[in-house]
Amino acid sequence: MNPDLVIIRLGELMLKRKNRHRFLRSVRDRLQAVLKPFPGLQLEEEYGRIYIQLNNEPYTQVANELKKVFGIVSFSPAYRSPLDLQRIQDTARQMMQPLLAESSQVTFKVSANRANKEFPYDSQQLGYLVGGFLLQAFDQLKVDVHQPQYEVRLDIRREYALIFTEVEQGGGGYPKGSNGKAMLMLSGGIDSPVAGWYALRKGLELEAVHFHSYPYTSERAQQKVIDLTKILSVYSGSMNLHMVTFTEIQTRLLKGADEQLLITLMRRAMLRICSKLAVKRKASGIVTGESLGQVASQTLASMDVIGRATDMPLLRPLITMDKQEIIRQAETIGTYETSIQPYEDCCTLFVPKSPSINPDLSRVEKVEQSLEWLDEEIERAVSSAQLIELSDRDESKFEEYF
Ligand code: ATP
Ligand code: MG
């Protein structure tokens, strides 16, 4: 039995905030975008809840899309019945049947909410009448008012009753853009796309920045980052990607600098470029995929020296996560398969054998001051960065962007 509609619950915190209307609009826009493949659906809004009339569109597929929308806390498939006790009882029975099919004993309770006071039974009576009916209909049911496996909920509305029991988790978090905008430093690796997903879930609008060292790095490496950005845009509708040519800076640093400081210097240059792009794009933070202790550049001391290259807030959603957790999350959000493709980004090229895990800030700054070409090259990288606008429905290939 396909449900009649889906009840969508939004985050309470979000609804209490000042920008409630903007948040609602943002969720509604995202819903309309992800539900485009189902033309039969109708959206209705009421007191901070959103209802989707399914009109025979397949619930399971719609549910899969809802899990991608941030700002939705949970949702329930619901059945509609005319305002008639027998019809309500019958609908409840039909709803429970498939859920109980393979269980020997299941606990439940019925709770009712009577918004329509003209309905002849009050909530308590309804609970009793529908609960009693279900107990008779299914041998395996047992009442547990404290911790039931199923709570059968009745919502008696003006024109019809809604009956539902399942609650599925939505995307959670906050809707797109509700917490400002940041730049995501997106390599081709496993971590940064996951960091981007967490930032999106927090309601940050993101633009991705990727550094490549073409022709030392391949076009395939860039295509991989384009693909990752497309996957992330499934969760935000669209995403801009800035392709920055890092070849000149990287090769010059390689020639001149102390090998131990190379990674530190590279990272600082990247951060400076990214900060300038952020200002241009009106973003006020930078998200990275760093995770404490994972590699030499991610010790506390290294991150400190690298981070001092910018005065923008650096957001590191993965900072305390284990690699295994990050990988699991990458699999769940769909970036893992793409991330593990073997194309190198600029940082995996010419990696020094023993990068410093404890770089000295004043030494690093002194080296930078001695590189009289650096500021100019940073400016050049910023102004020549290429902007690619991507969306989850984009099918085009690498060649078409360049
Ligand atoms: P990832 O799995 O995200 O590549 P990592 O474990 O390889 O991370 P590092 O290589 O130290 O770690 O990079 C740390 C962070 O710096 C990355 O998560 C990413 O945010 C940023 N970064 C590294 N290389 C690039 C790049 N080529 N372009 C853009 N950002 C980069
Ligand atoms: Mg990497």
Side-chain angles (χ1 to χ4, degrees), residues 268-318:
R268 282 174 58 96
M270 283 184 181
L271 261 189
R272 287 174 62 190
I273 294 167
C274 199
S275 307
K276 286 177 185 286
L277 284 170
V279 172
K280 262 187 158 174
R281 306 298 300 177
K282 299 193 165 52
S284 38
I286 294 172
V287 179
T288 78
E290 288 161 307
S291 178
L292 189 60
Q294 208 178 75
V295 288
S297 57
Q298 294 173 22
T299 60
L300 208 47
S302 269
M303 281 192 294
D304 179 35
V305 172
I306 292 168
R308 281 170 199 270
T310 181
D311 47 18
M312 283 215 169
L314 283 170
L315 306 177
R316 303 173 170 107
L318 312 185

Side-chain angles (χ1 to χ4, degrees), residues 188-392:
I190 296 171
D191 303 330
S192 43
V194 176
W197 182 86
Y198 278 111
L200 288 175
R201 193 177 66 167
K202 267 290 165 191
L204 277 168
E205 185 187 340
L206 292 183
E207 295 200 14
V209 180
H210 178 68
F211 297 87
H212 67 84
S213 289
Y214 185 80
Y216 301 106
T217 53
S218 65
E219 289 184 348
R220 281 297 307 155
Q222 288 178 67
Q223 178 63 48
K224 180 178 168 183
V225 175
I226 292 173
D227 292 343
L228 286 169
T229 310
K230 278 190 208 166
I231 299 173
L232 283 178
S233 73
V234 166
Y235 301 95
S236 64
S238 60
M239 193 179 286
N240 287 339
L241 167 63
H242 302 263
M243 278 288 183
V244 181
T245 309
F246 201 59
T247 324
E248 187 64 25
I249 296 179
Q250 185 166 15
T251 42
R252 283 198 187 204
L253 283 177
L254 256 169
K255 259 186 250 153
D258 175 347
E259 197 189 286
Q260 281 204 329
L261 290 183
L262 186 64
I263 296 272
T264 311
L265 293 166
M266 269 169 52
R267 283 273 187 279
R268 282 174 58 96
M270 283 184 181
L271 261 189
R272 287 174 62 190
I273 294 167
C274 199
S275 307
K276 286 177 185 286
L277 284 170
V279 172
K280 262 187 158 174
R281 306 298 300 177
K282 299 193 165 52
S284 38
I286 294 172
V287 179
T288 78
E290 288 161 307
S291 178
L292 189 60
Q294 208 178 75
V295 288
S297 57
Q298 294 173 22
T299 60
L300 208 47
S302 269
M303 281 192 294
D304 179 35
V305 172
I306 292 168
R308 281 170 199 270
T310 181
D311 47 18
M312 283 215 169
L314 283 170
L315 306 177
R316 303 173 170 107
L318 312 185
I319 197 67
T320 57
M321 280 171 77
D322 276 348
K323 194 72 186 182
Q324 282 313 312
E325 287 175 85
I326 299 170
I327 288 175
R328 221 178 301 129
Q329 192 59 21
E331 286 167 339
T332 310
I333 65 174
T335 53
Y336 185 72
E337 284 303 315
T338 307
S339 285
I340 58 172
Q341 289 173 5
Y343 309 106
E344 300 188 322
D345 71 353
C346 58
C347 299
T348 31
L349 274 187
F350 333 109
V351 205
K353 278 176 239 56
S354 54
S356 172
I357 54 165
N358 190 14
D360 178 66
L361 180 62
S362 57
R363 217 180 116 210
V364 168
E365 284 174 343
K366 225 176 253 156
V367 173
E368 284 174 345
Q369 276 155 21
S370 72
L371 305 171
E372 73 293 341
W373 51 270
L374 186 60
D375 290 351
E376 200 179 307
E377 285 303 327
I378 282 177
E379 285 305 334
R380 200 197 308 276
V382 172
S383 56
S384 64
Q386 220 167 344
L387 172 63
I388 307 175
E389 295 171 19
L390 293 163
S391 85
D392 54 337

Side-chain angles (χ1 to χ4, degrees), residues 106-111 142-153:
V106 174
T107 57
F108 86 119
K109 79 170 180 183
V110 177
S111 55
K142 195 168 163 257
V143 175
D144 179 347
V145 290
H146 301 296
Q147 278 196 310
Q149 283 161 282
Y150 287 103
E151 181 172 356
V152 176
R153 291 191 242 189

